[in-house]
Amino acid sequence: MKSDVEELMPRLLPVEFGASAEVLDMNGPPRNPREYLRQVQLEASQCPEVVVAQIDPKKLKKKQTINASVAGCHAAPLGFSPSLSWQQHQVSTFSGVRQSIAKNRTHWSSHTLDDNVLMPKLTDEEGWKRFCFGETVYLGASSGHTDAEPEPALDYSKVGFPPFLSIVSRLNQSTVLMLLEILISWFEEHDFVPQLGRWLYALLACLEKPLIPEAHASIRQLARRCAQLRSTLGLDHQLTTSISVNQVISTV
């Protein structure tokens, strides 16, 4: 009769012990595949069905605490930490923007884009950077020129396309997350620019709940980068940069 284990887990290679199993040399190497399988089956038959580990409780009481270094967000320097009421106001405003986008996404996505709006392909990372930042920032011009007033004949290819609702409403969730990862990776190696702040705010507002793990990871990465940049600000830095970074931190 088969054992309970064999009933639940039938043998893939059934090999009977036979009369010669009693003289099988378990200490020597098997001489053929059949003898190897017989040795394995014999060893398995001699193992107890239930094995209880013998653990000394005294050994478990020693060295139970492990100190792990987890990199968190940098603290804001003196004078750059936003008040609680300001943070709550930003969260409330951001929540309202999210609800408005979700409610009117179909309406805005049906708007016809201008002829000069040529959205890059999904996998064109460099194209998306040029599209969002414009050639001025993309080609490495100093960020100080990006705050200047645009010329009367506005050329979006130079200053970057803003995240118009007619544009971001056309992006599905995979594209929103992909674009977030592209911009955050760019932000890891560059300074903050206004175009970046606008696009990050718009893309975060377009994320739908529940957030997938990749979205959580990107948001945490963005928060750490913003906090790191804020920690380096001094009194000689422009106030708008501090406000923009704090706004991103509050929304994430």
Side-chain angles (χ1 to χ4, degrees):
M1 181 179 294
K2 294 183 178 180
S3 65
D4 294 339
V5 175
E6 291 178 347
E7 289 291 343
L8 296 175
M9 302 177 62
R11 296 174 181 173
L12 297 178
L13 297 173
V15 178
E16 300 297 335
F17 288 123
S20 61
E22 297 180 357
V23 296
L24 181 63
D25 185 8
M26 295 295 295
N27 296 323
R31 292 167 294 184
N32 51 62
R34 182 181 180 86
E35 192 169 283
Y36 167 75
L37 294 174
R38 288 168 56 197
Q39 284 186 355
V40 173
Q41 289 183 355
L42 184 59
E43 290 177 354
S45 64
Q46 295 174 350
C47 293
E49 295 184 0
V50 180
V51 178
V52 179
Q54 300 297 328
I55 301 176
D56 186 0
K58 296 180 180 179
K59 295 182 179 180
L60 297 179
K61 296 181 180 179
K62 299 179 180 179
K63 299 181 180 180
Q64 289 294 300
T65 301
I66 300 177
N67 296 323
S69 177
V70 179
C73 291
H74 292 70
L78 183 63
F80 288 87
S81 179
S83 64
L84 178 60
S85 60
W86 187 89
Q87 295 179 61
Q88 293 174 341
H89 174 72
Q90 296 300 322
V91 171
S92 176
T93 302
F94 180 74
S95 178
V97 173
R98 282 178 51 85
Q99 294 177 9
S100 178
I101 291 178
K103 181 179 180 180
N104 301 286
R105 178 182 294 272
T106 304
H107 169 72
W108 286 318
S109 62
S110 63
H111 286 196
T112 303
L113 296 177
D114 294 338
D115 295 337
N116 64 331
V117 182
L118 299 177
M119 298 176 63
K121 295 181 179 180
L122 179 61
T123 57
D124 186 5
E125 294 188 9
E126 299 304 316
W128 279 110
K129 295 175 186 177
R130 185 187 295 269
F131 182 84
C132 297
F133 299 142
E135 295 180 357
T136 303
V137 175
Y138 175 77
L139 296 178
S142 62
S143 60
H145 296 291
T146 60
D147 295 330
E149 290 295 330
E151 299 177 358
L154 186 60
D155 187 355
Y156 286 127
S157 64
K158 298 293 184 181
V159 299
F161 285 90
F164 294 127
L165 291 173
S166 57
I167 294 178
V168 296
S169 297
R170 282 175 162 79
L171 307 179
N172 56 32
Q173 287 300 289
S174 60
T175 305
V176 170
L177 182 56
M178 179 275 303
L179 188 50
L180 261 178
E181 293 175 352
I182 292 175
L183 299 185
I184 293 173
S185 297
W186 183 90
F187 188 28
E188 290 283 350
E189 301 177 357
H190 300 80
D191 292 332
F192 182 87
V193 292
Q195 293 94 322
L196 175 66
R198 300 185 192 106
W199 272 99
L200 289 176
Y201 193 93
L203 293 173
L204 290 172
C206 289
L207 281 177
E208 297 177 357
K209 296 181 179 181
L211 299 179
I212 61 176
E214 289 81 0
H216 282 284
S218 296
I219 292 173
R220 287 195 295 267
Q221 181 183 0
L222 174 59
R224 288 194 295 267
R225 171 56 179 152
C226 289
Q228 186 274 330
L229 177 61
R230 185 181 60 182
S231 66
T232 63
L233 297 179
L235 296 179
D236 56 335
H237 284 73
Q238 294 183 3
L239 181 61
T240 54
T241 300
S242 175
I243 294 176
S244 300
V245 171
N246 281 328
Q247 283 179 325
V248 176
I249 293 178
S250 298
T251 55
V252 299

